[in-house]
């Protein structure tokens, strides 16, 4: 049988996420998850939820969550889009807004899902190299383009930009859609959500997976002017009408309602991060100035891959990318102080035991 | 400001789902939801779930659910794909398999999301008219095409086909991918899941939203040979790595584990359906032979839209489609016997009160 149907199969290279090891005894610092549980309000929702409700479809636009987010950020529900994690939200935005023959611009070192979406959706793109300190040069984004997407803070570099950069970027890009991907912004210094009131071509995306400890529930959101949000709703309604289930909506709303817990958790992660930065620097690592819940670092005398493999053998999972320019770097999620202490021990061991790597 | 960014916005017409009225007092027979709650095992999962788990990402491929479905249907996990409702599953399949320049074939009266996906994904398509009794003629699908999608049973017609039709369809379509959309199959007479072992170009999709009372959790699945499933995984991993959250996976697994409850619920719905068919026929309606959890019917003397509007004014929501060929038909979801009794009363009232519609 010649299997002629094969010729119509799609030809793509998918995104590869961090390992999800199944063993409960490992220390998992490889997926930028939060080491702390979500707000106790989330547990209350689960414990009180009646399974009887589940027989009916959820709200098509996650109405309760749109409203809660609008209230939290001083916007209207019509300025908010909710999706099945910020990956879904970004994919919908790429589909809705990047329909030009000109290339979309984004940094060469950034979230590795961007090129995957561009290839899937047949969007032309052009990467702009970050400098040797992994900083983004805003002037690289002044030229004519089919759209811009910048993560702030950037991943895996962990570096953030401030208001001046974003305003400058927007002032030089009035004729295309600009997406600012704020997945890690709650650990950073500056969010531009407020600017959606001023710039009608700005989309800001965020997620409940990092600062709100709800990676397991897949909730992401976008903020923009009403018209852009209506286009995102139309794309959603052309693909999958109900991307958020009832419990995803309800747990996210509960989490948003507990601002105090949220702030306390974020502060704990930031304190551990700043301590970890010093620890790693004291061990001889070059560490970028993280505005996220992870560190991006390299050691002048030890191969990143060796360190990655050694700590993995000790049951600690961090992230190593075999990619151009960053193949000697590690991305380390901030865990609890106890988890980090285990990591320091393991890293110290590999630095001492193996000695410096041979050069030449 | 000329807003040049507008020229890159996507141009699409989205799918429109049934109304989701918010009032608890209404009788909702418009979205083919199950009137019975999910298995008590689902409630157990919710009550025992620890919110602490939610801080980490779910399984990327819903591994526990793939395994449970494989066990239930006598397949391997590699033969199963899970998605965020069967809409997500179908959209992924359209993307993965319909990449020909030849048109995809499907019936003219069918699930109205098919043309929406074709337009979004730029897939050429050709509809094949069902006959005047709304039956699908298998010979219409013998010609050269870029793929075939047939719902069995079909919606909104509620009519099913048997093994001979499906085998005939597959034997005449060895060079393209054939999707059989079995959203309603548990209420019908014949599922072709078994045939994925024999036909390497067959995809069968199903859902937890109807027979398993989990519409609120958004869980759908596809069955096919390993290679086709691997293409669906690749499309998923190029769009959104984690479409199913932890609780969607766990509630679906719990539901699958309670076969007895499932069978009892399906039998109750079928019994009410068969009774409803007789009731409506006794009131003068033409009702197709439903193999689903809804009825498709028309009255020779009363406009469908009038009946729809009257029962709506009485707080009972059924579905009316203002579409070619079926604009004098109603689609009525099977509710509990008590809900149906209310519906019969309301329909009897409109038939008597208004008298036959004027013709000419």
């Amino acid at each position: 049988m010649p299997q002629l149907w094969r010729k119509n199969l799609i030809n793509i290279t998918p995104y590869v996420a961090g390992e999800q090891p199944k063993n409960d005894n490992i220390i998992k610092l490889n997926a930028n998850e939060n080491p702390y549980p979500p707000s106790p309000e989330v547990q209350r929702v689960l414990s009180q939820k009646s399974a009887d409700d589940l027989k009916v479809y959820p709200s098509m636009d996650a109405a309760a969550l749109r409203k809660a987010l609008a209230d939290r950020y001083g916007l209207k529900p019509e300025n908010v889009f909710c999706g099945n994690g910020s990956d879904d939200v970004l994919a919908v935005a790429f589909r809705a807004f990047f329909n030009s023959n000109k290339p979309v611009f984004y940094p060469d070192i950034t979230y590795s899902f961007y090129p995957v979406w561009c290839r899937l959706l047949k969007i032309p793109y052009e990467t702009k190299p970050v400098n040797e300190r992994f900083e983004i040069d805003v002037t690289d984004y002044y030229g004519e383009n089919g759209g811009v997407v910048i993560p702030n803070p950037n991943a895996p570099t962990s570096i953030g930009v401030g208001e001046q950069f974003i305003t400058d970027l927007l002032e030089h890009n009035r004729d295309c859609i600009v997406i600012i991907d704020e997945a890690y912004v709650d650990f950073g210094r500056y969010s531009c959500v407020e600017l959606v009131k001023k710039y009608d071509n700005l989309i800001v995306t965020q997620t409940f997976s990092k600062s709100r400890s709800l990676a397991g529930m897949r909730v992401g959101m976008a903020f923009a002017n009403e018209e852009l949000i209506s286009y995102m709703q139309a794309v959603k309604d052309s693909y999958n009408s109900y991307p958020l289930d009832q419990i995803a909506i309800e747990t996210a709303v509960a989490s948003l309602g507990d601002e105090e817990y949220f702030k306390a958790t974020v502060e704990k992660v930031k304190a551990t991060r700043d301590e970890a930065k010093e620890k790693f620097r004291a061990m001889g690592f070059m560490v970028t100035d993280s505005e996220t819940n992870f560190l991006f670092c390299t050691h002048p005398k030890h191969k990143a891959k060796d360190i990655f493999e050694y700590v993995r053998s000790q049951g600690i999972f961090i992230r190593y990318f075999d990619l151009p320019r960053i193949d000697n770097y590690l991305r380390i999620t901030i865990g609890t102080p106890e988890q980090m202490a285990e990591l320091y021990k393991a890293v110290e061991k590999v630095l001492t035991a193996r000695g410096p790597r041979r050069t030449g």
Side-chain angles (χ1 to χ4, degrees), chain A:
Chain A
M1 184 68 61
Q3 297 184 307
L4 291 179
W5 50 261
R6 275 173 200 284
K7 67 182 184 306
N8 296 335
L9 298 178
I10 195 168
N11 178 14
I12 42 167
T13 311
Y15 173 75
V16 180
E19 287 175 279
Q20 297 289 357
K22 299 223 163 61
N23 187 337
D24 280 347
N25 295 320
I26 64 119
I27 294 178
K28 198 169 173 303
L29 304 175
N30 71 336
N32 295 347
E33 293 151 333
N34 200 308
Y36 301 105
S39 157
E41 293 299 306
V42 171
Q43 184 68 65
R44 209 170 48 79
V45 164
L46 295 181
S47 308
Q48 296 180 357
K49 177 72 183 175
S50 163
D52 194 3
D53 298 349
L54 301 181
K55 69 186 183 220
V56 297
Y57 285 93
S59 159
M60 279 186 65
D61 68 341
L65 181 55
R66 287 178 90 183
K67 184 174 181 323
L69 284 165
D71 290 349
R72 166 70 164 73
Y73 290 93
L75 299 167
K76 286 179 293 179
E78 292 77 16
N79 298 122
V80 183
F81 174 85
C82 297
N84 182 239
S86 68
D87 286 348
D88 180 38
V89 173
L90 284 161
V92 166
F94 274 47
R95 165 68 78 191
F97 305 125
F98 293 162
N99 297 289
S100 170
N101 292 324
K102 291 175 214 146
V104 168
F105 290 171
Y106 57 81
D108 65 337
I109 298 176
T110 193
Y111 187 29
S112 48
F113 224 132
Y114 298 160
V116 175
W117 287 317
C118 285
R119 288 193 300 258
L120 178 74
L121 304 172
K122 301 189 168 65
I123 298 166
Y125 65 95
E126 193 176 311
T127 58
K128 299 292 181 181
V130 296
N131 71 17
E132 69 288 351
R133 290 182 310 281
F134 300 117
E135 293 157 348
I136 300 170
D137 182 346
V138 71
T139 63
D140 286 341
Y141 298 83
Y142 285 1
E144 215 182 356
N145 60 59
V148 171
V149 52
I150 302 262
N152 183 36
N154 195 6
T157 66
S158 82
I159 298 171
V161 296
E163 183 168 5
Q164 203 187 331
F165 178 106
I166 298 291
T167 307
D168 195 355
L169 178 74
L170 287 162
E171 286 299 332
H172 284 88
N173 284 282
R174 301 309 310 265
D175 297 341
C176 70
I177 299 292
V178 175
I179 299 178
I180 305 296
D181 174 357
E182 293 190 341
Y184 297 100
V185 80
D186 293 326
F187 305 105
R189 75 184 123 135
Y190 172 67
S191 164
C192 66
V193 168
E194 188 70 20
L195 295 184
V196 304
K197 294 177 185 164
K198 185 169 171 194
Y199 295 94
D200 56 11
N201 60 328
L202 170 63
I203 308 272
V204 184
T205 62
Q206 291 190 5
T207 177
F208 280 75
S209 299
K210 312 295 180 186
S211 56
R212 293 194 178 271
S213 311
L214 282 176
M217 289 313 290
R218 321 302 310 117
V219 183
M221 63 278 208
F223 304 102
N225 82 69
E226 289 186 35
E227 186 187 358
L228 294 193
I229 294 297
S230 75
Y231 275 87
M232 293 184 74
Q233 297 283 7
V235 168
K236 170 187 84 64
D237 290 333
S238 299
Y239 190 85
N240 183 11
S241 309
Y242 307 91
L244 283 174
D245 64 53
Q246 287 180 18
I247 299 181
I249 295 168
E250 291 172 29
T251 52
V253 169
S255 158
L256 265 182
D258 193 351
E259 188 71 17
E260 204 178 328
Y261 180 91
F262 165 73
K263 281 187 178 153
T265 307
V266 165
E267 285 312 314
K268 277 199 284 187
V269 171
K270 284 166 72 174
T272 309
R273 172 193 72 197
D274 294 341
E275 191 181 84
K277 206 173 352 184
E278 296 317 311
K279 282 273 188 190
F280 276 93
R281 284 179 180 160
M283 289 190 279
F285 283 85
M286 193 297 282
V287 188
T288 56
D289 258 324
S290 172
E291 297 192 28
T292 63
N293 68 337
F294 60 88
L295 297 186
F296 190 60
C297 59
T298 186
H299 198 286
K301 296 186 182 151
H302 295 266
K303 281 190 187 162
K305 202 173 177 193
D306 292 345
I307 301 170
F308 164 76
E309 280 170 0
Y310 177 76
V311 304
R312 191 171 186 278
S313 75
Q314 303 302 297
I316 303 175
F317 285 68
I318 58 178
R319 191 96 196 253
Y320 168 74
F321 300 89
D322 195 3
L323 289 173
R325 297 190 68 185
I326 59 169
D327 61 352
N328 202 32
Y329 281 78
L330 296 167
R331 193 194 71 182
I332 300 168
T333 305
I334 302 302
T336 61
E338 296 72 27
Q339 291 175 320
M340 298 309 282
E342 293 296 318
L343 175 68
Y344 304 147
K345 265 196 277 180
V347 172
E348 268 160 12
K349 207 176 275 175
V350 66
L351 297 187
T352 345
R354 303 202 166 189
R357 71 174 167 191
R358 264 158 252 171
T359 48

